[in-house]
């Protein structure tokens, strides 16, 4: 049964904690899936770091041999490059999955009018950002090493082996392209999730309480984000 509680404007606010019996189960499942994404991301990162470290150690041992096997070194760096690219994609995928579940959790808190349990100050730096930079740097590292040893497979790449300045320049270009790809494909999508969650967290006046009005639209997240921007501008002026 729905109950009433006073909102910050002094009016009645509907507390819907009992209106959908299955909602508590859905809420619990979202928490479990969010934790699952978080654990998967952590375990994958641990394994990835171990593999990268092993590749670098193995490469050093090969280079220190009396007769270095350059072909094997090239295979290792190409493997490291492929692994880094796939790891970057896995990290983005798991981070998006985590954000999706957390956003749905916030929606349920909002529906129940219990947002006080999910209001917290913003983090000065995000783990996802640090993890993303780490993957981008390792992609650049193995791409540079692939070019450095690439002359073994293609003679024209010898310029990167003989002139490190070219290698540094191309490494910066690769990093810019990888970061640009992230900003083009995923950043705005991720930020929209954050903006939507922030709009609900900061809505102490329960502006979006009318569920049929605000949440039935297929593009309700964008609708609420845009409205929150307008409300913020009004308050500033």
């Amino acid at each position: 049964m729905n109950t009433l509680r006073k909102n910050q404007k002094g009016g009645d606010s509907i507390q819907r904690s009992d209106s959908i019996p299955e909602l508590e189960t859905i809420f619990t499942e979202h928490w479990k899936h969010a934790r699952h994404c978080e654990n998967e991301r952590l375990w994958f990162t641990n394994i990835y770091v171990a593999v990268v470290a092993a590749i670098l150690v193995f490469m050093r041992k090969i280079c220190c041999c009396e007769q270095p096997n350059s072909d094997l070194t090239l295979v290792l760096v190409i493997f490291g490059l492929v692994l880094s690219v796939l790891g970057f994609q896995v990290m983005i995928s798991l981070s998006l999955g985590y954000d999706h579940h957390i956003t749905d959790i916030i929606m349920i808190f909002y529906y129940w009018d219990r947002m006080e349990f999910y209001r917290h100050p913003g983090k000065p730096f995000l783990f996802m950002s640090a993890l993303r930079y780490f993957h981008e740097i390792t992609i650049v590292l193995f791409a540079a090493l692939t070019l450095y040893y690439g002359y073994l497979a293609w003679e024209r790449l010898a310029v990167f082996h003989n002139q490190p300045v070219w290698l540094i320049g191309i490494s910066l270009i690769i990093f810019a392209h990888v970061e640009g790809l992230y900003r083009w494909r995923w950043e705005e999508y991720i930020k929209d999730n954050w903006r939507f969650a922030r709009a609900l967290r900061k809505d102490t006046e329960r502006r979006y309480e009318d569920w049929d009005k605000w949440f039935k639209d297929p593009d309700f997240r964008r609708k609420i984000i845009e409205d929150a921007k307008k409300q913020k501008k009004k308050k500033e002026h």
Side-chain angles (χ1 to χ4, degrees), residues 7 9 44 48 59 61 75 93 112 138 166 211-212 226:
N7 60 28
K9 287 184 174 181
F44 180 83
Y48 174 74
M59 285 177 58
K61 288 184 177 180
V75 171
S93 177
W112 283 340
T138 53
W166 283 91
W211 208 260
D212 290 338
E226 293 300 327

Side-chain angles (χ1 to χ4, degrees), residues 73-74 77 142-152 157-158 160-164 167:
T73 302
L74 180 60
V77 295
F142 284 111
L145 289 173
T146 300
L147 291 173
Y148 184 77
Y149 290 102
Y151 74 95
L152 297 170
L157 294 178
F160 297 110
H161 187 83
N162 300 326
Q163 299 182 24
L167 194 61

Side-chain angles (χ1 to χ4, degrees), residues 91-102:
M91 184 274 299
I92 294 293
S93 177
L94 290 174
S95 296
L96 285 175
Y98 175 81
D99 281 347
H100 286 167
H101 292 299
I102 291 298

Side-chain angles (χ1 to χ4, degrees), residues 49-78:
V49 169
V51 172
V52 168
I55 290 173
L56 295 177
V57 170
F58 197 33
M59 285 177 58
R60 185 177 183 279
K61 288 184 177 180
I62 292 173
C63 293
C64 291
C65 292
E66 293 183 1
Q67 295 181 341
N69 189 337
S70 299
D71 291 335
L72 180 57
T73 302
L74 180 60
V75 171
L76 284 173
V77 295
I78 292 175

Side-chain angles (χ1 to χ4, degrees), residues 79-107:
F79 173 74
L81 176 60
V82 173
L83 181 66
S84 297
V85 172
L86 292 177
F88 181 70
Q89 294 176 334
V90 169
M91 184 274 299
I92 294 293
S93 177
L94 290 174
S95 296
L96 285 175
Y98 175 81
D99 281 347
H100 286 167
H101 292 299
I102 291 298
T103 302
D104 289 338
I105 287 168
I106 292 173
M107 282 180 59

Side-chain angles (χ1 to χ4, degrees), residues 37 41 44-45 84-100 128-129 131-133 135-136 139 178-179 181-183 185-187 189-190 193:
C37 288
R41 186 171 60 180
F44 180 83
T45 301
S84 297
V85 172
L86 292 177
F88 181 70
Q89 294 176 334
V90 169
M91 184 274 299
I92 294 293
S93 177
L94 290 174
S95 296
L96 285 175
Y98 175 81
D99 281 347
H100 286 167
M128 179 185 170
S129 298
L131 193 58
R132 186 184 89 243
Y133 287 131
H135 278 278
E136 289 177 351
I139 288 174
V178 175
E179 178 66 11
L181 175 65
Y182 167 77
R183 293 180 183 275
R185 289 290 303 275
W186 299 296
E187 184 180 47
Y189 184 77
I190 292 172
N193 279 336

Side-chain angles (χ1 to χ4, degrees), residues 16-17 20 23 26-27 30-31 99-115 118 192-193 195-201 203 206 208-209 211 214-222 224:
R16 302 184 177 91
S17 58
I20 303 179
L23 198 55
I26 296 172
F27 178 82
H30 278 307
W31 270 122
D99 281 347
H100 286 167
H101 292 299
I102 291 298
T103 302
D104 289 338
I105 287 168
I106 292 173
M107 282 180 59
I108 295 173
F109 269 130
Y110 188 86
Y111 184 83
W112 283 340
D113 194 10
R114 290 298 188 211
M115 286 302 295
Y118 213 90
D192 272 351
N193 279 336
R195 292 183 186 113
F196 174 73
R198 185 169 61 244
L200 295 187
R201 286 204 307 267
D203 182 29
R206 302 288 295 168
Y208 311 113
E209 186 176 28
W211 208 260
W214 291 102
F215 290 89
K216 295 298 184 179
D217 191 304
D219 197 23
F220 66 87
R221 297 181 188 227
R222 172 57 53 185
I224 290 176

